[in-house]
PDB file of all heavy atoms in Angstrom:
ATOM      1  N   ALA F   6     159.345 167.082 -31.528  1.00  0.00           N
ATOM      2  CA  ALA F   6     158.706 166.162 -32.480  1.00  0.00           C
ATOM      3  C   ALA F   6     158.233 164.904 -31.795  1.00  0.00           C
ATOM      4  O   ALA F   6     157.107 164.377 -32.002  1.00  0.00           O
ATOM      5  CB  ALA F   6     159.739 165.821 -33.475  1.00  0.00           C
ATOM      6  N   LYS F   7     159.008 164.488 -30.796  1.00  0.00           N
ATOM      7  CA  LYS F   7     158.627 163.258 -30.104  1.00  0.00           C
ATOM      8  C   LYS F   7     157.278 163.462 -29.246  1.00  0.00           C
ATOM      9  O   LYS F   7     156.672 162.548 -28.996  1.00  0.00           O
ATOM     10  CB  LYS F   7     159.815 162.837 -29.183  1.00  0.00           C
ATOM     11  CG  LYS F   7     159.587 161.586 -28.452  1.00  0.00           C
ATOM     12  CD  LYS F   7     160.804 161.087 -27.737  1.00  0.00           C
ATOM     13  CE  LYS F   7     160.669 159.921 -26.916  1.00  0.00           C
ATOM     14  NZ  LYS F   7     161.811 159.431 -26.070  1.00  0.00           N
ATOM     15  N   SER F   8     157.200 164.594 -28.781  1.00  0.00           N
ATOM     16  CA  SER F   8     156.059 164.934 -27.768  1.00  0.00           C
ATOM     17  C   SER F   8     154.703 164.971 -28.545  1.00  0.00           C
ATOM     18  O   SER F   8     153.689 164.855 -27.880  1.00  0.00           O
ATOM     19  CB  SER F   8     156.268 166.244 -27.085  1.00  0.00           C
ATOM     20  OG  SER F   8     156.040 167.434 -28.042  1.00  0.00           O
ATOM     21  N   GLY F   9     154.792 165.125 -29.850  1.00  0.00           N
ATOM     22  CA  GLY F   9     153.496 165.224 -30.590  1.00  0.00           C
ATOM     23  C   GLY F   9     152.883 166.633 -30.448  1.00  0.00           C
ATOM     24  O   GLY F   9     151.724 166.920 -30.899  1.00  0.00           O
ATOM     25  N   TYR F  10     153.627 167.606 -29.939  1.00  0.00           N
ATOM     26  CA  TYR F  10     153.177 169.106 -29.818  1.00  0.00           C
ATOM     27  C   TYR F  10     152.750 169.513 -31.289  1.00  0.00           C
ATOM     28  O   TYR F  10     153.489 169.430 -32.230  1.00  0.00           O
ATOM     29  CB  TYR F  10     154.253 169.953 -29.251  1.00  0.00           C
ATOM     30  CG  TYR F  10     154.022 171.308 -29.229  1.00  0.00           C
ATOM     31  CD1 TYR F  10     153.038 171.899 -28.381  1.00  0.00           C
ATOM     32  CD2 TYR F  10     154.682 172.177 -29.915  1.00  0.00           C
ATOM     33  CE1 TYR F  10     152.774 173.243 -28.380  1.00  0.00           C
ATOM     34  CE2 TYR F  10     154.699 173.508 -29.976  1.00  0.00           C
ATOM     35  CZ  TYR F  10     153.630 174.150 -29.048  1.00  0.00           C
ATOM     36  OH  TYR F  10     153.432 175.494 -29.210  1.00  0.00           O
ATOM     37  N   LYS F  11     151.509 170.186 -31.337  1.00  0.00           N
ATOM     38  CA  LYS F  11     151.051 170.669 -32.666  1.00  0.00           C
ATOM     39  C   LYS F  11     151.144 172.235 -32.786  1.00  0.00           C
ATOM     40  O   LYS F  11     150.424 172.879 -33.585  1.00  0.00           O
ATOM     41  CB  LYS F  11     149.550 170.228 -32.692  1.00  0.00           C
ATOM     42  CG  LYS F  11     149.381 168.751 -32.463  1.00  0.00           C
ATOM     43  CD  LYS F  11     150.079 167.879 -33.648  1.00  0.00           C
ATOM     44  CE  LYS F  11     149.748 166.424 -33.638  1.00  0.00           C
ATOM     45  NZ  LYS F  11     150.576 165.609 -34.568  1.00  0.00           N
ATOM     46  N   GLY F  12     151.912 172.876 -31.931  1.00  0.00           N
ATOM     47  CA  GLY F  12     151.995 174.269 -32.034  1.00  0.00           C
ATOM     48  C   GLY F  12     151.032 175.121 -31.378  1.00  0.00           C
ATOM     49  O   GLY F  12     150.963 176.361 -31.555  1.00  0.00           O
ATOM     50  N   GLN F  13     150.310 174.472 -30.431  1.00  0.00           N
ATOM     51  CA  GLN F  13     149.272 175.289 -29.599  1.00  0.00           C
ATOM     52  C   GLN F  13     150.014 176.389 -28.797  1.00  0.00           C
ATOM     53  O   GLN F  13     151.243 176.260 -28.420  1.00  0.00           O
ATOM     54  CB  GLN F  13     148.557 174.364 -28.575  1.00  0.00           C
ATOM     55  CG  GLN F  13     147.955 173.202 -29.213  1.00  0.00           C
ATOM     56  CD  GLN F  13     148.731 171.893 -29.124  1.00  0.00           C
ATOM     57  OE1 GLN F  13     149.939 171.896 -29.580  1.00  0.00           O
ATOM     58  NE2 GLN F  13     148.237 170.867 -28.636  1.00  0.00           N
ATOM     59  N   THR F  14     149.310 177.570 -28.633  1.00  0.00           N
ATOM     60  CA  THR F  14     149.868 178.619 -27.760  1.00  0.00           C
ATOM     61  C   THR F  14     149.906 178.207 -26.276  1.00  0.00           C
ATOM     62  O   THR F  14     148.904 177.847 -25.766  1.00  0.00           O
ATOM     63  CB  THR F  14     149.092 179.861 -28.017  1.00  0.00           C
ATOM     64  OG1 THR F  14     149.232 180.223 -29.321  1.00  0.00           O
ATOM     65  CG2 THR F  14     149.617 181.055 -27.162  1.00  0.00           C
ATOM     66  N   LEU F  15     151.080 178.275 -25.687  1.00  0.00           N
ATOM     67  CA  LEU F  15     151.195 178.052 -24.409  1.00  0.00           C
ATOM     68  C   LEU F  15     151.255 179.398 -23.516  1.00  0.00           C
ATOM     69  O   LEU F  15     152.099 180.289 -23.885  1.00  0.00           O
ATOM     70  CB  LEU F  15     152.485 177.237 -24.009  1.00  0.00           C
ATOM     71  CG  LEU F  15     152.682 175.919 -24.837  1.00  0.00           C
ATOM     72  CD1 LEU F  15     154.012 175.352 -24.386  1.00  0.00           C
ATOM     73  CD2 LEU F  15     151.564 175.000 -24.446  1.00  0.00           C
ATOM     74  N   ILE F  16     150.335 179.562 -22.600  1.00  0.00           N
ATOM     75  CA  ILE F  16     150.159 180.862 -21.897  1.00  0.00           C
ATOM     76  C   ILE F  16     151.061 180.936 -20.651  1.00  0.00           C
ATOM     77  O   ILE F  16     151.087 179.981 -19.863  1.00  0.00           O
ATOM     78  CB  ILE F  16     148.848 181.109 -21.499  1.00  0.00           C
ATOM     79  CG1 ILE F  16     147.857 180.995 -22.804  1.00  0.00           C
ATOM     80  CG2 ILE F  16     148.650 182.440 -20.796  1.00  0.00           C
ATOM     81  CD1 ILE F  16     148.298 182.068 -23.728  1.00  0.00           C
ATOM     82  N   TRP F  17     151.914 181.922 -20.535  1.00  0.00           N
ATOM     83  CA  TRP F  17     152.913 182.029 -19.454  1.00  0.00           C
ATOM     84  C   TRP F  17     152.456 183.260 -18.645  1.00  0.00           C
ATOM     85  O   TRP F  17     152.486 184.426 -19.038  1.00  0.00           O
ATOM     86  CB  TRP F  17     154.227 182.217 -19.977  1.00  0.00           C
ATOM     87  CG  TRP F  17     155.399 182.173 -18.940  1.00  0.00           C
ATOM     88  CD1 TRP F  17     155.302 182.033 -17.599  1.00  0.00           C
ATOM     89  CD2 TRP F  17     156.746 182.441 -19.194  1.00  0.00           C
ATOM     90  NE1 TRP F  17     156.440 182.090 -16.880  1.00  0.00           N
ATOM     91  CE2 TRP F  17     157.353 182.378 -17.925  1.00  0.00           C
ATOM     92  CE3 TRP F  17     157.455 182.785 -20.331  1.00  0.00           C
ATOM     93  CZ2 TRP F  17     158.779 182.490 -17.868  1.00  0.00           C
ATOM     94  CZ3 TRP F  17     158.965 182.939 -20.142  1.00  0.00           C
ATOM     95  CH2 TRP F  17     159.503 182.769 -18.927  1.00  0.00           C
ATOM     96  N   HIS F  18     152.044 182.996 -17.394  1.00  0.00           N
ATOM     97  CA  HIS F  18     151.543 184.060 -16.527  1.00  0.00           C
ATOM     98  C   HIS F  18     152.785 184.619 -15.711  1.00  0.00           C
ATOM     99  O   HIS F  18     153.444 183.837 -14.990  1.00  0.00           O
ATOM    100  CB  HIS F  18     150.469 183.611 -15.689  1.00  0.00           C
ATOM    101  CG  HIS F  18     149.038 183.704 -16.241  1.00  0.00           C
ATOM    102  ND1 HIS F  18     147.978 183.499 -15.513  1.00  0.00           N
ATOM    103  CD2 HIS F  18     148.704 183.987 -17.576  1.00  0.00           C
ATOM    104  CE1 HIS F  18     146.880 183.494 -16.411  1.00  0.00           C
ATOM    105  NE2 HIS F  18     147.363 183.843 -17.649  1.00  0.00           N
ATOM    106  N   ILE F  19     152.931 186.023 -15.750  1.00  0.00           N
ATOM    107  CA  ILE F  19     154.085 186.669 -15.066  1.00  0.00           C
ATOM    108  C   ILE F  19     153.574 187.735 -14.363  1.00  0.00           C
ATOM    109  O   ILE F  19     152.904 188.636 -15.018  1.00  0.00           O
ATOM    110  CB  ILE F  19     155.233 187.024 -16.081  1.00  0.00           C
ATOM    111  CG1 ILE F  19     155.829 185.679 -16.770  1.00  0.00           C
ATOM    112  CG2 ILE F  19     156.476 187.656 -15.375  1.00  0.00           C
ATOM    113  CD1 ILE F  19     156.676 186.008 -17.999  1.00  0.00           C
ATOM    114  N   THR F  20     153.887 188.034 -13.086  1.00  0.00           N
ATOM    115  CA  THR F  20     153.624 189.225 -12.364  1.00  0.00           C
ATOM    116  C   THR F  20     154.440 190.310 -12.837  1.00  0.00           C
ATOM    117  O   THR F  20     155.692 190.149 -12.524  1.00  0.00           O
ATOM    118  CB  THR F  20     153.636 189.002 -10.886  1.00  0.00           C
ATOM    119  OG1 THR F  20     152.792 187.836 -10.434  1.00  0.00           O
ATOM    120  CG2 THR F  20     153.125 190.166 -10.073  1.00  0.00           C
ATOM    121  N   ARG F  21     154.088 191.302 -13.416  1.00  0.00           N
ATOM    122  CA  ARG F  21     154.864 192.308 -14.078  1.00  0.00           C
ATOM    123  C   ARG F  21     155.830 193.070 -13.111  1.00  0.00           C
ATOM    124  O   ARG F  21     155.484 193.444 -11.994  1.00  0.00           O
ATOM    125  CB  ARG F  21     153.954 193.395 -14.642  1.00  0.00           C
ATOM    126  CG  ARG F  21     154.483 194.463 -15.608  1.00  0.00           C
ATOM    127  CD  ARG F  21     153.640 195.503 -15.770  1.00  0.00           C
ATOM    128  NE  ARG F  21     152.274 195.190 -16.092  1.00  0.00           N
ATOM    129  CZ  ARG F  21     151.824 194.893 -17.378  1.00  0.00           C
ATOM    130  NH1 ARG F  21     152.606 194.790 -18.278  1.00  0.00           N
ATOM    131  NH2 ARG F  21     150.532 194.437 -17.426  1.00  0.00           N
ATOM    132  N   ASN F  22     157.071 193.116 -13.566  1.00  0.00           N
ATOM    133  CA  ASN F  22     158.090 193.853 -12.816  1.00  0.00           C
ATOM    134  C   ASN F  22     158.273 193.526 -11.361  1.00  0.00           C
ATOM    135  O   ASN F  22     158.781 194.251 -10.466  1.00  0.00           O
ATOM    136  CB  ASN F  22     157.829 195.421 -12.803  1.00  0.00           C
ATOM    137  CG  ASN F  22     157.772 195.948 -14.233  1.00  0.00           C
ATOM    138  OD1 ASN F  22     158.524 195.535 -15.054  1.00  0.00           O
ATOM    139  ND2 ASN F  22     156.989 197.036 -14.546  1.00  0.00           N
ATOM    140  N   PHE F  23     157.988 192.234 -11.061  1.00  0.00           N
ATOM    141  CA  PHE F  23     158.020 191.940  -9.576  1.00  0.00           C
ATOM    142  C   PHE F  23     159.488 191.466  -9.253  1.00  0.00           C
ATOM    143  O   PHE F  23     160.007 191.768  -8.148  1.00  0.00           O
ATOM    144  CB  PHE F  23     157.083 190.730  -9.282  1.00  0.00           C
ATOM    145  CG  PHE F  23     157.069 190.546  -7.721  1.00  0.00           C
ATOM    146  CD1 PHE F  23     156.304 191.253  -6.953  1.00  0.00           C
ATOM    147  CD2 PHE F  23     157.665 189.366  -7.230  1.00  0.00           C
ATOM    148  CE1 PHE F  23     156.327 191.077  -5.469  1.00  0.00           C
ATOM    149  CE2 PHE F  23     157.672 189.040  -5.819  1.00  0.00           C
ATOM    150  CZ  PHE F  23     156.989 189.880  -5.092  1.00  0.00           C
ATOM    151  N   TRP F  24     160.113 190.606 -10.143  1.00  0.00           N
ATOM    152  CA  TRP F  24     161.426 190.110  -9.949  1.00  0.00           C
ATOM    153  C   TRP F  24     162.436 190.895 -10.903  1.00  0.00           C
ATOM    154  O   TRP F  24     162.165 190.937 -12.154  1.00  0.00           O
ATOM    155  CB  TRP F  24     161.563 188.633 -10.209  1.00  0.00           C
ATOM    156  CG  TRP F  24     160.720 187.833  -9.278  1.00  0.00           C
ATOM    157  CD1 TRP F  24     160.958 187.411  -8.032  1.00  0.00           C
ATOM    158  CD2 TRP F  24     159.446 187.269  -9.669  1.00  0.00           C
ATOM    159  NE1 TRP F  24     159.859 186.709  -7.579  1.00  0.00           N
ATOM    160  CE2 TRP F  24     158.945 186.550  -8.554  1.00  0.00           C
ATOM    161  CE3 TRP F  24     158.594 187.200 -10.802  1.00  0.00           C
ATOM    162  CZ2 TRP F  24     157.793 185.866  -8.508  1.00  0.00           C
ATOM    163  CZ3 TRP F  24     157.473 186.589 -10.715  1.00  0.00           C
ATOM    164  CH2 TRP F  24     157.035 185.787  -9.618  1.00  0.00           C
ATOM    165  N   THR F  25     163.494 191.267 -10.424  1.00  0.00           N
ATOM    166  CA  THR F  25     164.595 191.979 -11.219  1.00  0.00           C
ATOM    167  C   THR F  25     164.855 191.297 -12.468  1.00  0.00           C
ATOM    168  O   THR F  25     165.327 190.004 -12.299  1.00  0.00           O
ATOM    169  CB  THR F  25     165.776 192.293 -10.450  1.00  0.00           C
ATOM    170  OG1 THR F  25     165.379 193.143  -9.238  1.00  0.00           O
ATOM    171  CG2 THR F  25     166.766 193.068 -11.254  1.00  0.00           C
ATOM    172  N   ASN F  26     164.592 191.819 -13.590  1.00  0.00           N
ATOM    173  CA  ASN F  26     165.073 191.227 -14.884  1.00  0.00           C
ATOM    174  C   ASN F  26     164.173 190.064 -15.389  1.00  0.00           C
ATOM    175  O   ASN F  26     164.550 189.486 -16.438  1.00  0.00           O
ATOM    176  CB  ASN F  26     166.522 191.014 -15.103  1.00  0.00           C
ATOM    177  CG  ASN F  26     167.387 192.255 -14.937  1.00  0.00           C
ATOM    178  OD1 ASN F  26     166.955 193.319 -15.286  1.00  0.00           O
ATOM    179  ND2 ASN F  26     168.712 192.002 -14.547  1.00  0.00           N
ATOM    180  N   TYR F  27     163.260 189.623 -14.631  1.00  0.00           N
ATOM    181  CA  TYR F  27     162.454 188.490 -15.026  1.00  0.00           C
ATOM    182  C   TYR F  27     161.700 188.675 -16.360  1.00  0.00           C
ATOM    183  O   TYR F  27     161.701 187.848 -17.206  1.00  0.00           O
ATOM    184  CB  TYR F  27     161.430 188.047 -13.850  1.00  0.00           C
ATOM    185  CG  TYR F  27     160.849 186.701 -14.131  1.00  0.00           C
ATOM    186  CD1 TYR F  27     161.296 185.623 -13.176  1.00  0.00           C
ATOM    187  CD2 TYR F  27     160.074 186.266 -15.081  1.00  0.00           C
ATOM    188  CE1 TYR F  27     160.820 184.287 -13.244  1.00  0.00           C
ATOM    189  CE2 TYR F  27     159.569 184.955 -15.206  1.00  0.00           C
ATOM    190  CZ  TYR F  27     159.943 184.070 -14.327  1.00  0.00           C
ATOM    191  OH  TYR F  27     159.374 182.733 -14.471  1.00  0.00           O
ATOM    192  N   ASP F  28     161.188 189.893 -16.468  1.00  0.00           N
ATOM    193  CA  ASP F  28     160.316 190.268 -17.644  1.00  0.00           C
ATOM    194  C   ASP F  28     161.288 190.194 -18.905  1.00  0.00           C
ATOM    195  O   ASP F  28     160.891 189.696 -19.967  1.00  0.00           O
ATOM    196  CB  ASP F  28     159.684 191.676 -17.496  1.00  0.00           C
ATOM    197  CG  ASP F  28     158.742 191.604 -16.346  1.00  0.00           C
ATOM    198  OD1 ASP F  28     158.678 190.712 -15.487  1.00  0.00           O
ATOM    199  OD2 ASP F  28     157.890 192.524 -16.352  1.00  0.00           O
ATOM    200  N   ALA F  29     162.455 190.755 -18.683  1.00  0.00           N
ATOM    201  CA  ALA F  29     163.411 190.736 -19.834  1.00  0.00           C
ATOM    202  C   ALA F  29     163.827 189.416 -20.150  1.00  0.00           C
ATOM    203  O   ALA F  29     163.947 189.032 -21.390  1.00  0.00           O
ATOM    204  CB  ALA F  29     164.598 191.711 -19.561  1.00  0.00           C
TER     205      ALA F  29
END
């Protein structure tokens, strides 16, 4: 609430299956 965030979608880029259990 303090940040003024309005619900915009934040995109998280992850290299698939590279680090054990990161995707999960």
Side-chain angles (χ1 to χ4, degrees):
K7 184 178 180 180
S8 74
Y10 171 68
K11 303 299 183 184
Q13 304 97 310
T14 298
L15 304 180
I16 302 300
W17 187 3
H18 279 188
I19 301 168
T20 305
R21 189 193 319 275
N22 294 329
F23 188 78
W24 299 277
T25 300
N26 290 338
Y27 197 110
D28 298 16

